[in-house]
């Protein structure tokens, strides 16, 4: 990770990209706060009637499948059909290994539309790759397959960047791979960490045409901030506050100093 790539951190703050998020209804406030804290502008919608206007307004789009239902599915498909200018899009396939409906819906979206990035944990990416993996609910689960290869398979299959996140993060476009080792157990405790990261990645996509660099940089900044906050906290509640504070102020030198 170079300082040149980390300039995207300040570019987000300066350009205030609008990120349209179809939210997981468990975490919309966390996602909105996270985007606002990094300098982006969050907007959310559940009304198909305004899809065209919302897509036109947005610099990037996040589709989160965490609480998918019929009305939300209609909104998602309407937004995707209106994305004729091909704004960069992130798919967060939350817990798709937990039900046949979620998995089928996610695969149909990926078949019908091009997503710039798929951001998910090991269990979610493994489900897309049709790899046997043990997971429950939203956890990353466990299995014997090589996660690097799973991520590459999905990247090739859907012609996109895959951000497989967990104790370590694997960012790949199918040919190039970046591994980020920064993590903290607070990310697991904090329900919605992945949801926030997906929309943060979208914000970075919204200010750069180098989508692979944007996905890597967003993930690095996000995790470095979490680790830095953890080192300065004595408990989960304190970490949550410190994490948001650090997201607003962390700079490229501080990101590079977190090892």
């Amino acid at each position: 990770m170079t300082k040149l790539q980390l300039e995207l951190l300040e570019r987000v703050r300066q350009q205030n990209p609008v990120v349209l998020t179809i939210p997981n209804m468990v975490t919309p406030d966390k996602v909105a706060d996270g985007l606002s804290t990094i300098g982006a502008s969050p907007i959310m919608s559940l009304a198909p009637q305004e899809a065209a206007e919302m897509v036109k307004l947005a610099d990037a789009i996040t589709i989160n499948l965490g609480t998918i239902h019929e009305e939300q599915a209609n909104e998602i498909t309407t937004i995707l059909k209106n994305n004729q200018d091909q704004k960069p899009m992130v798919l967060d396939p939350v817990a798709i290994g937990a039900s046949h409906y979620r998995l089928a819906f996610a695969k149909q979206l990926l078949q019908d539309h091009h997503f710039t990035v798929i951001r998910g944990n090991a269990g979610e990416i493994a489900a897309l790759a049709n790899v046997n993996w043990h997971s429950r609910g939203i956890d990353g689960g466990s299995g014997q397959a090589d996660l690097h290869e799973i991520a590459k398979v999905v990247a090739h299959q859907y012609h996109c960047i895959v951000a497989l996140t967990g104790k370590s993060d694997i960012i790949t476009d199918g040919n190039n791979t970046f591994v980020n080792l920064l993590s903290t157990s607070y990310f697991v405790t904090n329900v919605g960490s992945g949801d926030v990261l997906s929309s943060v990645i979208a914000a970075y996509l919204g200010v750069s045409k180098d989508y692979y660099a944007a996905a890597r940089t967003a993930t690095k900044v996000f995790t470095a901030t979490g680790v830095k906050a953890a080192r300065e906290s004595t408990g989960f509640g304190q970490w949550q506050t410190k994490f948001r504070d650090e997201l607003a102020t962390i700079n490229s030198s501080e990101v590079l100093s977190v090892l």
Side-chain angles (χ1 to χ4, degrees):
M1 187 63 62
T2 67
K3 279 197 172 183
L4 180 62
Q5 292 166 338
L6 285 169
E7 286 179 2
L8 291 176
L9 188 161
E10 293 301 330
R11 196 183 301 175
V12 169
R13 291 170 178 163
Q14 293 164 3
Q15 295 185 15
N16 312 119
V18 175
V19 179
L20 170 60
T21 298
I22 303 303
N24 176 347
M25 297 312 297
V26 176
T27 61
D29 55 338
K30 290 186 177 182
V31 172
D33 285 345
L35 285 170
S36 182
T37 301
I38 67 168
S41 180
I43 192 166
M44 299 183 184
S45 174
L46 292 176
Q49 297 88 340
E50 63 181 12
E53 294 167 291
M54 289 292 181
V55 171
K56 184 177 180 180
L57 177 67
D59 294 295
I61 300 166
T62 306
I63 304 296
N64 188 299
L65 304 184
T67 48
I68 191 69
H69 51 79
E70 185 175 354
E71 182 181 0
Q72 193 178 60
N74 187 23
E75 169 71 349
I76 288 170
T77 55
T78 306
I79 280 177
L80 296 178
K81 288 176 182 177
N82 278 278
N83 189 23
Q84 297 172 350
D85 292 334
Q86 297 184 325
K87 306 284 181 71
M89 298 195 300
V90 177
L91 178 66
D92 189 331
V94 178
I96 58 169
S99 79
H100 295 298
Y101 170 67
R102 289 189 191 217
L103 181 58
F105 185 71
K107 288 187 173 181
Q108 190 65 54
L109 290 181
L110 289 163
Q111 179 179 313
D112 295 343
H113 305 279
H114 178 258
F115 285 85
T116 314
V117 174
I118 302 172
R119 201 293 315 161
N121 63 29
E124 292 155 357
I125 303 302
L128 288 176
N130 298 316
V131 170
N132 186 32
W133 201 263
H134 176 71
S135 62
R136 300 184 303 165
I138 62 172
D139 69 354
S142 60
Q144 298 300 315
D146 186 324
L147 291 178
H148 292 76
E149 291 306 313
I150 290 174
K152 288 180 181 179
V153 165
V154 175
H156 280 300
Q157 183 174 355
Y158 296 110
H159 308 288
C160 68
I161 297 159
V162 169
L164 191 162
T165 58
K167 290 183 179 180
S168 62
D169 307 313
I170 301 165
I171 318 295
T172 182
D173 60 5
N175 298 311
N176 305 290
T177 300
F178 169 74
V179 178
N180 174 44
L181 299 177
L182 294 176
S183 188
T184 169
S185 60
Y186 289 131
F187 281 137
V188 178
T189 306
N190 183 53
V191 173
S193 292
D195 297 347
V196 178
L197 176 55
S198 292
S199 286
V200 167
I201 289 173
Y204 278 67
L205 299 178
V207 299
S208 174
K209 294 300 182 183
D210 187 341
Y211 295 142
Y212 181 53
R216 297 196 321 265
T217 305
T219 304
K220 180 76 171 184
V221 170
F222 188 84
T223 54
T225 304
V227 170
K228 187 172 186 292
R231 291 172 181 171
E232 300 169 2
S233 304
T234 57
F236 176 58
Q238 190 179 53
W239 175 83
Q240 287 183 301
T241 300
K242 188 65 177 175
F243 178 55
R244 288 193 295 270
D245 289 344
E246 292 288 351
L247 275 177
T249 60
I250 197 166
N251 59 46
S252 58
S253 297
E254 290 173 318
V255 171
L256 290 171
S257 71
V258 178
L259 300 174

